Amino acid sequence: MINIKDVAERAGVSSSTVSRVLTNKPHVNVSSKVRRKVTQAVEELNYQPNHSAQRLRMAGTSKLIGLVISGMLNTHFNAIIHGVSDLAYTNRMNIFLCNAVGDVARERYYMSHIRAERAAGIIVNPQDYDNDGPYLDELRQAGIAVVLLDTTVKGYTFDSVTVDNRQAAYQAVEHLIQLGHQRIGIVSGRQTATTAHERLEGYKDALRNADLAISNDLIKDGQFKEEMAYRATLDFIDMPTPPTALFVINEPMTLGALKALRERHIRIPQDIAIVGFDDTPWSAHIYPPLTTIAQPTYALGREAVRLLMRRIDEPDAAHLTVTLPTDLIIRDSCGAKKGAF
Amino acid sequence: MINIKDVAERAGVSSSTVSRVLTNKPHVNVSSKVRRKVTQAVEELNYQPNHSAQRLRMAGTSKLIGLVISGMLNTHFNAIIHGVSDLAYTNRMNIFLCNAVGDVARERYYMSHIRAERAAGIIVNPQDYDNDGPYLDELRQAGIAVVLLDTTVKGYTFDSVTVDNRQAAYQAVEHLIQLGHQRIGIVSGRQTATTAHERLEGYKDALRNADLAISNDLIKDGQFKEEMAYRATLDFIDMPTPPTALFVINEPMTLGALKALRERHIRIPQDIAIVGFDDTPWSAHIYPPLTTIAQPTYALGREAVRLLMRRIDEPDAAHLTVTLPTDLIIRDSCGAKKGAF
DNA sequence: CTGAAAGCGCTTACAG
DNA sequence: CTGAAAGCGCTTACAG
């Protein structure tokens, strides 16, 4: 592996000079003759500066960012990664992808890795509202910019990018109520995630607002997982008086609910209406086309990077929360297009 | 940001000693008293060794791997990333995620970044069969282990993990032929990707084997993109004698084809049968449920890491190609379940 | 068992 | 305009 000294030797200059032409700063002058010799040597040797050495030398100018997400099997996060990677590329920042897979210990491991790498920043979808705060604050203390994605964290304020989950859920459930549903079940997620908590609150708001009772029988925890939602849905079906509509608060769980309904030959929306959360390219093609809350996923990813760049530039700027709009996409699974119940 | 010297000072030892207890190598001895003092100081100061410095010092022992994929909006790659990230985590390797987005220049940028980071290895889905070889060989010369994913590269041999694309395509098209189809269109991809090339060859094999003519009218390039496939499908529909069946060779393009068919109210499979490539959790829920070739995506990701670890350990081992099996999942879009034409 | 010293590959004041 | 030297934070022979 060739280094700056090799280049210097080949070009017949000092390594200081090589560095100068390569870093190419506005106010340092190098004669064009020397510049040419160096450039040529770099090309001939196919020299590539060692980023580790550069980072070591220039502490605090890292071009690395950590992206910690809680799962890959979810179009929501996939699209966020897409948005993050695009704007990161524009800024020539490089991404450590950290897939926590819903495992808090693994999330912690990744956080410490990001610190050990002296990344400039971290974009994270915290999994543990109650306990992640101190860990993230530690990163911040260590000079790493922190931006939260989707969820927030107890006791600490960070820049964050999210949607109004409560309002979005309210809108979804209100829509079902307007279609005449009175018994609406919700397949919710881990309440340690603020997204799940807020979506559940939005569900309750909508019921309250319509003077409908809030019944614990109609609230089931699918833990954001397909399999758990599958079982929760079966439980709903097996109730003496099953709900006439279901609100399922993420994509994998919507798949689980659909699976359960299919197996039991429950017709959608005639027997049970469904509204999901998160739109995917497939949503329009399923049977029946899925009514769902769409999040601006790609934009969420981009905004996260934007906030991060700002925080890196101005570590002491006021904290910002960017809230992006959601969209209730009405298709057929809610029954709206076939008339109210 | 605190460093090893701070720890040494606090513990009242030299930084050599701190390093010794932290690296914790089998045959170096540190008295348990000193060990305790160091451990305590590390905890009190919440010290985290600087990975860049470690890498610089211990050249050739990087724990970083680059993962270069050609797109994020594709369940295939998402699941591969999942597999890669899981096994990487097991090996405590960390991932630079590089989303080339179908852009060769961006792919090249990422390759040079990975080299500049002195990563231990790179797992890459090369986009350009004709020209990527020399770039990847350069990485290899620089001591970076290379594993190819899905596609290969002209003129150079690397470890690679893939499926038998030609055979898989053959099976898909043969299935359509057995159902009575004689005019089978293919929505193919960039021929600079070996996957696309091989799938097209498999398509031709199946036609030839059934003594059916290979017509260029029935071969359209969707460039692996939804929008292009949408247009290609419209073109198919508008032919004087449209095909009675379509083979679409990846997920985004299948979405595009479905969209075109829906818009024109073409019934599947009665008017046109469809077989896709790549299974997703949604495939079973669409209307009609999609017949498709499923790839073992998660396993592909894991195998790629396995090959990479092997190559890192034994840089001069013989090159390996791991070929994983695909599965033709017969649902309804091919018409098999409703009887042959 | 422990410490002082060298060196990994860079960048950047400091001289000239 | 260019070079010699120091130093970023580590690890590891080398002494003792």
Side-chain angles (χ1 to χ4, degrees):
Chain A
M1 184 66 81
I2 68 138
N3 60 28
I4 198 171
K5 264 178 121 173
D6 301 324
V7 178
E9 208 162 297
R10 156 85 73 150
V13 299
S14 73
S15 48
S16 321
T17 300
V18 174
S19 178
R20 275 192 206 96
V21 352
L22 258 25
T23 52
N24 198 25
K25 295 220 168 159
H27 289 297
V28 315
N29 299 314
V30 182
S31 74
S32 55
K33 196 179 104 200
V34 166
R35 193 178 290 274
R36 224 172 299 123
K37 282 196 295 181
V38 170
T39 315
Q40 194 183 338
V42 165
E43 271 172 24
E44 285 170 3
L45 296 173
N46 197 358
Y47 168 66
Q48 185 97 51
N50 181 326
H51 278 2
S52 292
Q54 288 180 320
R55 267 198 299 281
L56 181 58
R57 181 53 226 251
M58 305 182 295
T61 63
S62 166
K63 303 291 278 177
L64 303 178
I65 70 185
L67 174 56
V68 184
I69 51 122
S70 48
M72 278 303 301
L73 302 178
N74 190 326
T75 308
H76 176 68
F77 291 118
N78 297 333
I80 283 176
I81 295 173
H82 190 208
V84 168
S85 71
D86 275 2
L87 201 54
Y89 175 67
T90 302
N91 290 289
R92 293 299 181 272
M93 305 289 284
N94 289 291
I95 297 173
F96 277 118
L97 180 67
C98 306
N99 177 18
V101 200
D103 176 350
V104 174
R106 188 159 161 183
E107 179 184 270
R108 299 279 153 75
Y109 161 79
Y110 284 129
M111 286 184 193
S112 79
H113 161 246
I114 284 162
R115 190 148 85 92
E117 290 291 351
R118 304 296 187 262
I122 177 176
I123 294 171
V124 54
N125 170 236
Q127 309 191 74
D128 187 346
Y129 172 77
D130 288 316
N131 304 306
D132 273 348
Y135 290 89
L136 290 169
D137 191 51
E138 219 169 73
L139 291 185
R140 173 161 60 188
Q141 304 287 353
I144 296 170
V146 177
V147 170
L148 307 188
L149 202 58
D150 290 348
T151 50
T152 57
V153 122
K154 185 168 138 193
Y156 297 84
T157 305
F158 295 95
D159 293 322
S160 75
V161 46
T162 180
V163 299
D164 188 339
N165 286 288
R166 187 164 181 163
Q167 169 57 25
Y170 179 91
Q171 191 185 4
V173 177
E174 183 190 41
H175 177 69
L176 286 168
I177 293 171
Q178 284 169 353
L179 292 172
H181 292 281
Q182 309 245 349
R183 284 181 64 72
I184 302 171
I186 180 171
V187 183
S188 187
R190 280 181 292 102
Q191 293 296 304
T192 51
T194 47
T195 39
H197 181 73
E198 287 167 14
R199 288 170 201 176
L200 182 56
E201 288 304 312
Y203 161 87
K204 290 178 181 173
D205 290 347
L207 294 187
R208 270 192 291 260
N209 188 57
D211 289 323
L212 293 173
I214 293 167
S215 157
N216 283 332
D217 291 351
L218 292 176
I219 299 173
K220 294 194 188 293
D221 181 5
Q223 292 180 49
F224 283 138
K225 289 183 187 144
E226 177 170 349
E227 175 65 17
M228 293 286 109
Y230 167 76
R231 294 205 200 148
T233 304
L234 289 181
D235 288 347
F236 273 132
I237 296 171
D238 290 336
M239 287 173 71
T241 315
T244 62
L246 241 38
F247 176 41
V248 190
I249 73 162
N250 83 347
E251 176 197 6
M253 295 202 299
T254 302
L255 282 162
L258 288 173
K259 184 161 172 256
L261 262 19
R262 297 246 190 278
E263 278 186 15
R264 295 295 184 88
H265 302 291
I266 312 280
R267 294 168 306 164
I268 308 168
Q270 294 91 333
D271 302 330
I272 292 188
I274 284 207
V275 175
F277 211 106
D278 295 332
D279 196 36
T280 81
W282 291 100
S283 303
H285 295 288
I286 70 163
Y287 181 78
L290 183 72
T291 294
T292 192
I293 299 280
Q295 296 194 65
T297 46
Y298 181 78
L300 284 169
R302 288 185 69 97
E303 279 309 321
V305 175
R306 231 187 291 274
L307 283 185
L308 195 72
M309 299 307 290
R310 169 179 170 275
R311 175 65 49 198
I312 291 168
D313 286 348
E314 308 170 39
D316 299 318
H319 290 293
L320 240 50
T321 296
V322 172
T323 306
L324 265 34
T326 56
D327 200 4
L328 174 64
I329 300 183
I330 297 173
R331 296 197 184 97
D332 300 346
S333 68
C334 58
K337 300 202 174 158
K338 320 218 168 184
F341 270 58
Chain B
M1 185 63 82
I2 68 139
N3 61 28
I4 199 170
K5 262 178 125 175
D6 301 322
V7 178
E9 210 162 298
R10 156 84 74 150
V13 298
S14 72
S15 49
S16 321
T17 301
V18 174
S19 179
R20 275 189 206 99
V21 353
L22 257 26
T23 51
N24 197 25
K25 294 220 170 161
H27 289 299
V28 316
N29 299 314
V30 182
S31 74
S32 54
K33 197 178 103 197
V34 166
R35 192 177 290 274
R36 223 171 300 125
K37 284 196 295 182
V38 170
T39 315
Q40 195 182 339
V42 166
E43 272 172 23
E44 285 169 4
L45 296 174
N46 197 359
Y47 168 66
Q48 185 97 53
N50 182 325
H51 279 3
S52 291
Q54 290 180 321
R55 266 198 299 279
L56 180 57
R57 181 53 227 252
M58 305 182 295
T61 62
S62 166
K63 303 290 277 177
L64 304 177
I65 71 186
L67 174 57
V68 184
I69 50 121
S70 49
M72 278 301 302
L73 302 179
N74 190 326
T75 309
H76 176 68
F77 291 118
N78 297 333
I80 282 176
I81 295 172
H82 190 209
V84 168
S85 70
D86 274 2
L87 200 55
Y89 175 66
T90 302
N91 289 289
R92 292 300 180 272
M93 304 290 284
N94 289 291
I95 298 173
F96 278 117
L97 180 68
C98 306
N99 177 18
V101 200
D103 175 350
V104 174
R106 189 160 161 183
E107 179 185 89
R108 299 277 153 76
Y109 162 78
Y110 284 129
M111 285 185 192
S112 79
H113 161 247
I114 284 161
R115 189 148 86 92
E117 290 292 352
R118 306 294 187 261
I122 178 176
I123 295 170
V124 54
N125 171 236
Q127 308 190 74
D128 187 346
Y129 173 77
D130 289 316
N131 304 307
D132 273 348
Y135 291 89
L136 290 169
D137 191 51
E138 220 169 73
L139 291 185
R140 173 160 60 190
Q141 305 286 352
I144 296 170
V146 177
V147 170
L148 307 187
L149 203 56
D150 290 348
T151 49
T152 57
V153 122
K154 183 169 140 192
Y156 296 84
T157 304
F158 295 96
D159 294 322
S160 77
V161 46
T162 182
V163 299
D164 188 339
N165 286 289
R166 187 164 183 164
Q167 169 56 26
Y170 180 91
Q171 191 185 3
V173 177
E174 184 190 39
H175 176 69
L176 286 168
I177 293 171
Q178 283 170 354
L179 291 172
H181 292 281
Q182 310 244 348
R183 283 181 65 74
I184 301 172
I186 180 171
V187 183
S188 186
R190 280 181 292 103
Q191 294 296 305
T192 51
T194 47
T195 40
H197 181 73
E198 287 168 14
R199 288 171 201 177
L200 182 56
E201 288 305 311
Y203 161 87
K204 291 178 181 172
D205 289 347
L207 294 187
R208 270 190 292 259
N209 187 56
D211 288 324
L212 293 172
I214 293 167
S215 157
N216 283 331
D217 291 350
L218 292 175
I219 299 174
K220 295 196 187 291
D221 181 5
Q223 292 180 48
F224 283 138
K225 289 185 186 141
E226 177 170 349
E227 174 65 17
M228 292 289 108
Y230 166 77
R231 294 205 201 148
T233 304
L234 288 182
D235 288 347
F236 273 132
I237 295 171
D238 289 336
M239 287 173 72
T241 315
T244 63
L246 241 38
F247 176 42
V248 191
I249 72 160
N250 83 346
E251 177 196 6
M253 294 202 299
T254 302
L255 283 162
L258 287 173
K259 182 159 174 258
L261 262 20
R262 297 248 189 278
E263 278 185 16
R264 294 294 183 89
H265 302 291
I266 310 281
R267 293 169 306 163
I268 308 167
Q270 295 90 334
D271 301 332
I272 292 189
I274 284 206
V275 174
F277 211 105
D278 293 333
D279 196 35
T280 82
W282 291 100
S283 302
H285 296 288
I286 70 163
Y287 181 77
L290 184 72
T291 294
T292 192
I293 298 281
Q295 297 193 64
T297 45
Y298 181 79
L300 285 169
R302 289 185 67 98
E303 279 309 322
V305 175
R306 230 188 291 276
L307 283 186
L308 195 71
M309 300 307 293
R310 168 178 171 276
R311 175 65 49 199
I312 291 169
D313 286 349
E314 307 170 41
D316 299 318
H319 291 293
L320 240 49
T321 296
V322 172
T323 306
L324 264 35
T326 56
D327 199 5
L328 173 64
I329 300 182
I330 297 173
R331 296 198 185 94
D332 300 346
S333 69
C334 58
K337 298 201 175 160
K338 320 217 169 187
F341 271 56

